[in-house]
Amino acid sequence: MTATVLFVCVHNAGRSQMAAGWLRHLGGDAVEVRSAGSLPGDQVNPAAVQAMAEVGIDISDQRPKVLTPEAVEASDVVITMGCGDACPVFPGKRYLDWPLADPAGQGVEAVRPIRDEIERRIRELLAELEVSPRA
């Protein structure tokens, strides 16, 4: 069974995009990845794109998407990253909150430690989902 994971942050331009990039990269076809924002921005944060490119993951083609109740309902795991109470709650879903610094307006130097913490959490998530990370 493929698990579906939804990452949610306010602008869907930094943290959630980096998390989705890591999960797609490490989880491959074993995980379906979605991301959305309660107030999506116009574009993915260029510093997040640069920080991910440094580790060989291209998220430059991603676009912020609006969070819908349908996206939450269709997901097995919903991971919030500072979207507050804008996330709809459905019974039977697993909810995690990852309190991560917001990379908005930060340079790549400030985004790198956020990227690295997201990678650590993604690897933990994959272990919980019993998915072996790809090399």
Side-chain angles (χ1 to χ4, degrees), residues 67-81:
L67 176 66
T68 64
E70 294 78 19
V72 176
E73 198 167 21
S75 300
D76 302 307
V77 181
V78 179
I79 300 174
T80 57
M81 303 172 163

Side-chain angles (χ1 to χ4, degrees), residues 75-98:
S75 300
D76 302 307
V77 181
V78 179
I79 300 174
T80 57
M81 303 172 163
C83 81
D85 56 3
C87 299
V89 175
F90 289 93
K93 304 295 173 195
R94 181 172 173 208
Y95 291 87
L96 300 171
D97 184 54
W98 291 356

Side-chain angles (χ1 to χ4, degrees), residues 42-125:
D42 296 330
Q43 66 178 23
V44 175
N45 180 335
V49 172
Q50 182 181 346
M52 293 299 286
E54 290 175 355
V55 294
I57 300 172
D58 182 6
I59 61 170
S60 64
D61 62 341
Q62 299 299 307
R63 297 290 170 260
K65 295 169 277 310
V66 69
L67 176 66
T68 64
E70 294 78 19
V72 176
E73 198 167 21
S75 300
D76 302 307
V77 181
V78 179
I79 300 174
T80 57
M81 303 172 163
C83 81
D85 56 3
C87 299
V89 175
F90 289 93
K93 304 295 173 195
R94 181 172 173 208
Y95 291 87
L96 300 171
D97 184 54
W98 291 356
L100 296 162
D102 188 349
Q106 303 289 322
V108 71
E109 298 79 18
V111 175
R112 285 185 189 116
I114 301 167
R115 172 203 65 202
D116 296 345
E117 174 62 12
I118 290 170
E119 178 191 10
R120 186 188 68 74
R121 290 171 183 256
I122 291 294
R123 289 182 182 277
E124 283 180 3
L125 177 66

